[in-house]
Amino acid sequence: MKNPIADLNKIFDSRIRLGVMSVLVVNDEIGFNDLKQMLELTDGNLASHLNTLEQADFIKVHKGFIGRKTSTTYSITELGKQAFKAHLDALEKMIKKL
Amino acid sequence: MKNPIADLNKIFDSRIRLGVMSVLVVNDEIGFNDLKQMLELTDGNLASHLNTLEQADFIKVHKGFIGRKTSTTYSITELGKQAFKAHLDALEKMIKKL
DNA sequence: TATTTAACTTTGAAAAACAAAGCACTTTTA
DNA sequence: TAAAAGTGCTTTGTTTTTCAAAGTTAAATA
């Protein structure tokens, strides 16, 4: 039997980053505050996980305005999509044996 | 939109514990060394994760003998099966939106 | 008898997660 | 117009988690 966890992506061990990605897969763009409320996180905690995801080039940040108010939104990158899909495939392989 | 990560079980955030459970779902019983080799872990690391799983009553330990040599094996409990399934369901719900 | 193996426990270090506070900027409210 | 509040962070420091390495006990083997 092969090591079943070898293909899991370490970045997605975190439930929060997993949550962010799963939200971004279905929402083209989402704001900082929406994410914060959805995942029930403090600012700092969310910001640092978003940062990890951005460092990995799995998400992109968009700084813009709504009217004249600043607004930061996030979206998934192609690389992020691929990595997330690969992770899910690895997960599925692990558990499909059920 | 509801918090997508609220129903994930914290115990299964760890890839290693996830791996142990996925192995135990398909193998009625497995030995310490087999697990160790399969998941490519050091003794101490595996032992501590097994301990966490045992504390939660998700796995059971069987101390026995092969001939007169000790042999420790592990199996999943009913509670463990339920918790693992619930976790997988929560995961699936998160990503089925794909 | 010396070495090896199994299955741990203990120790300690490194990494990760997290909350809280601070901050720069803008907008809203009194 | 002065104070309050919101946005999106960064910084700081604590707590939690992870992990490797070494030590341990008992039995097996050479």
Side-chain angles (χ1 to χ4, degrees), chain B residues 50-78:
Chain B
L50 288 173
N51 197 48
T52 300
L53 254 12
E54 202 196 343
Q55 294 303 91
D57 274 317
F58 288 177
I59 66 172
K60 249 191 327 253
V61 185
H62 314 271
K63 306 244 175 205
F65 292 88
I66 294 178
R68 277 173 46 206
K69 195 167 160 187
T70 58
S71 140
T72 308
T73 61
Y74 302 85
S75 65
I76 198 168
T77 62
E78 257 320 302

Side-chain angles (χ1 to χ4, degrees), chain B residues 70-92:
Chain B
T70 58
S71 140
T72 308
T73 61
Y74 302 85
S75 65
I76 198 168
T77 62
E78 257 320 302
L79 186 65
K81 262 182 214 167
Q82 282 169 29
F84 192 53
K85 184 177 182 320
H87 181 78
L88 295 185
D89 287 349
L91 260 181
E92 202 182 329

Side-chain angles (χ1 to χ4, degrees), chain A residues 9 12 20 23 28 32 39-40 43 62 64 69 89 97:
Chain A
N9 192 325
F12 302 132
V20 169
V23 168
D28 278 358
F32 185 88
L39 303 178
E40 298 170 57
D43 289 12
H62 314 270
K69 197 168 158 184
D89 287 349
K97 305 167 293 188

Side-chain angles (χ1 to χ4, degrees), chain A residues 26-72:
Chain A
V26 287
N27 297 281
D28 278 358
E29 244 181 327
I30 191 160
F32 185 88
N33 262 305
D34 291 340
L35 260 181
K36 187 180 118 183
Q37 277 158 35
M38 202 178 292
L39 303 178
E40 298 170 57
L41 302 171
T42 55
D43 289 12
N45 196 4
L46 175 56
S48 76
H49 283 293
L50 287 174
N51 198 49
T52 300
L53 253 13
E54 202 196 343
Q55 294 302 91
D57 274 318
F58 288 176
I59 66 173
K60 248 191 326 249
V61 185
H62 314 270
K63 307 242 175 209
F65 292 88
I66 295 179
R68 277 172 45 204
K69 197 168 158 184
T70 57
S71 140
T72 309

Side-chain angles (χ1 to χ4, degrees), chain A residues 21 24-25 27-28 58-60 62 74-82 84:
Chain A
M21 293 303 279
L24 285 184
V25 164
N27 297 281
D28 278 358
F58 288 176
I59 66 173
K60 248 191 326 249
H62 314 270
Y74 301 86
S75 64
I76 198 168
T77 62
E78 257 320 301
L79 186 64
K81 263 183 212 164
Q82 283 170 29
F84 191 52

